[in-house]
Amino acid sequence: MQTLHVDLGERSYPIYIGDGLLARPELLTRHVAGRQVAVVTNETVAPLYLEALMRSLEGFRVASVVLPDGEAFKNWETLQLIFDGLLKARHDRRTTVIALGGGVIGDMAGFAAACYQRGVDFIQVPTTLLSQVDSSVGGKTGINHPLGKNMVGAFYQPKAVLIDTASLHTLPQRELSAGLAEVIKYGLICDEPFLAWLEENMAALRALDGAALTYAIERSCAAKARVVGADERESGVRATLNLGHTFGHAIETEQGYGVWLHGEAVAAGTVMALEMSHRLGWLSVADRDRGVRLLQSAGLPVVPPQDMSPEQFLEHMAVDKKVLDGQLRLVLLKRLGEAVVTADYPREILDATLRTDYAALAQSFNS
Ligand SMILES: NC(=O)c1ccc[n+]([C@@H]2O[C@H](COP(=O)([O-])OP(=O)(O)OC[C@H]3O[C@@H](n4cnc5c(N)ncnc54)[C@H](O)[C@@H]3O)[C@@H](O)[C@H]2O)c1
Ligand SMILES: [Zn+2]
């Protein structure tokens, strides 16, 4: 088992990473202050892991709240079901909420914990690769509004994050690849040597090799913990975690949520950010292609939807949260392993990036 620490003063917490950690009750129970625990999960994850988690919590008064599965349920109505469950089971201010599931459950359970009786303890047990390397660390919680994704929420840090890599054995391949998009992101924005490790070990990761997964998750969480430790509320460097996301969100929104998985849209968006960084003279052709190949080797799409016009991209990107004072800020790469957030680029370069023939670019690798 590996233990990392997110360093946020009195809000600091450990991240435990390893194979089979759900069967280690002490890792959870040492972070439970009272006698009450509320496990929040969904209909897909409950049959797989709820019983194992309950066994770890013997001796506590445990209530479970099982929500419907999907991004479409990340809303007020579903959030209310968590409060219903907590109140019906008479949970008081000393209860601990445990999120068991992917990023949707983690974001919702975390927000519920931030609000219930003005804030109760919270533990993350993420079960998708994406939630293990990204959403469970850093304290962003929230729900969607019909007018925008993640528009209602709170910064609320967990007391601990427990990552059992064994839970990835039941995850669909497509979801695993989507998580790898965020893993690759850390290499691109702040950890160049990690890119070479990923190139060597991509096959092992996709075959769910426990040691490889633990290492990749640890290195990803360490990167995220560093960035969050330096900028908890995203006033600066934390925004670099959005590499590929501004282009990616445009794809997600245009195609309709759920058609492209978030990580898939981020992968295609990252290819666009690599291309733009190349056009700005920051990345060589070889560096750009190295990034694209790595994404491709993770089983991710590297060509944005071909029916999406530059105008459609710009329209969606204009409402992105990264627009400040009307200037569209983008995360770009000065070099592999170093990201910048900037609104200072020639407009023609953005236009040319949006007009690039990515299918031809991808084709050149396969021929
Ligand atoms: N808070 C943050 O910093 C942050 C960062 C990135 C993403 N997010 C949010 O995370 C969400 C996406 O998270 P996600 O990719 O984990 O999606 P998800 O939570 O929808 O999970 C994907 C699917 O896998 C299922 N699943 C979960 N664990 C499983 C397992 N072990 N075996 C089989 N199936 C399993 C889920 O039920 C779901 O159907 C989005 O809502 C996004 O906004 C938040
Ligand atoms: Zn993301």
Side-chain angles (χ1 to χ4, degrees):
M1 181 184 88
Q2 300 294 325
T3 306
L4 292 172
H5 290 277
V6 184
D7 210 350
L8 291 168
E10 60 181 17
R11 292 186 306 290
S12 298
Y13 52 94
I15 306 172
Y16 307 113
I17 308 163
D19 198 351
L21 298 193
L22 268 181
R24 302 260 310 265
E26 78 285 2
L27 295 176
L28 275 180
T29 54
R30 66 170 73 141
H31 298 286
V32 178
R35 301 310 301 163
Q36 298 178 317
V37 178
V39 181
V40 178
T41 185
N42 73 23
E43 286 165 346
T44 305
V45 178
L48 298 168
Y49 303 110
L50 183 56
E51 205 184 301
L53 185 67
M54 293 298 222
R55 266 199 302 275
S56 282
L57 294 167
E58 246 163 54
F60 291 87
R61 276 187 47 210
V62 188
S64 58
V65 180
V66 180
L67 304 176
D69 183 9
E71 183 77 30
F73 296 100
K74 191 176 163 184
N75 57 24
W76 273 118
E77 291 72 37
T78 315
L79 187 72
Q80 185 74 354
L81 298 176
I82 303 177
F83 299 132
D84 292 349
L86 284 161
L87 287 165
K88 278 187 192 140
R90 297 176 182 275
H91 280 232
D92 60 30
R93 291 184 54 191
R94 278 174 54 83
T95 189
T96 297
V97 172
I98 300 184
L100 173 70
V104 169
I105 288 297
D107 280 13
M108 270 199 298
F111 188 39
C115 300
Y116 188 68
Q117 308 213 4
R118 299 184 187 82
V120 297
D121 286 354
F122 169 50
I123 296 174
Q124 289 268 21
V125 183
T127 61
T128 62
L129 182 59
L130 183 132
S131 57
Q132 294 178 350
V133 298
D134 194 350
S135 61
S136 66
V137 175
K140 281 192 186 176
T141 71
I143 56 172
N144 299 329
H145 184 278
L147 295 180
K149 200 168 138 61
N150 294 329
M151 282 295 157
V152 178
F155 282 99
Y156 198 67
Q157 302 292 345
K159 292 287 171 207
V161 182
L162 180 81
I163 300 176
D164 185 346
T165 57
S167 64
L168 299 177
H169 286 273
T170 53
L171 192 68
Q173 267 294 329
R174 208 180 144 195
E175 296 284 355
L176 189 83
S177 289
L180 287 170
E182 308 280 5
V183 172
I184 293 168
K185 173 185 83 179
Y186 294 115
L188 291 172
I189 63 170
C190 63
D191 189 358
E192 201 266 339
F194 187 36
L195 293 173
W197 186 91
L198 285 168
E199 284 162 342
E200 289 273 302
N201 292 280
M202 190 54 78
L205 290 172
R206 295 185 70 190
L208 301 177
D209 177 271
L213 284 171
T214 298
Y215 184 79
I217 293 168
E218 183 199 344
R219 197 134 167 183
S220 300
C221 287
K224 180 138 189 195
R226 265 198 316 277
V227 173
V228 169
D231 177 21
E232 186 179 5
R233 287 175 169 262
E234 197 166 322
S235 45
V237 66
R238 186 164 181 169
T240 62
L241 295 172
N242 291 316
L243 176 71
H245 283 60
T246 305
F247 297 113
H249 284 156
I251 297 173
E252 278 183 280
T253 313
E254 179 64 30
Q255 302 295 304
Y257 291 122
V259 179
W260 283 56
L261 296 180
H262 172 73
E264 294 171 338
V266 166
T270 300
V271 172
M272 298 174 83
L274 287 164
E275 171 67 12
M276 185 156 166
S277 306
H278 165 60
R279 284 180 182 271
L280 286 163
W282 297 344
L283 292 187
S284 66
V285 173
D287 285 343
R288 177 198 67 188
D289 293 357
R290 192 176 166 207
V292 180
R293 276 208 184 83
L294 188 55
L295 291 161
Q296 215 171 21
S297 73
L300 288 159
V302 295
V303 179
Q306 293 191 275
D307 56 356
M308 252 182 98
S309 66
E311 292 69 35
Q312 284 169 321
F313 267 102
L314 288 171
E315 191 186 312
H316 293 300
M317 288 163 68
V319 296
D320 196 272
K321 275 179 289 195
K322 270 138 324 263
V323 177
L324 280 184
D325 309 326
Q327 277 280 55
L328 179 62
R329 295 192 310 150
L330 291 170
V331 185
L332 298 167
L333 296 177
K334 278 281 179 190
R335 55 182 185 84
L336 295 182
E338 186 188 339
V340 287
V341 186
T342 179
D344 186 17
Y345 48 77
R347 177 58 199 259
E348 315 81 84
I349 296 218
L350 173 59
D351 290 336
T353 302
L354 296 174
R355 283 197 311 271
T356 297
D357 183 351
Y358 291 95
L361 203 143
Q363 193 60 43
S364 69
F365 296 149
N366 302 325
S367 55

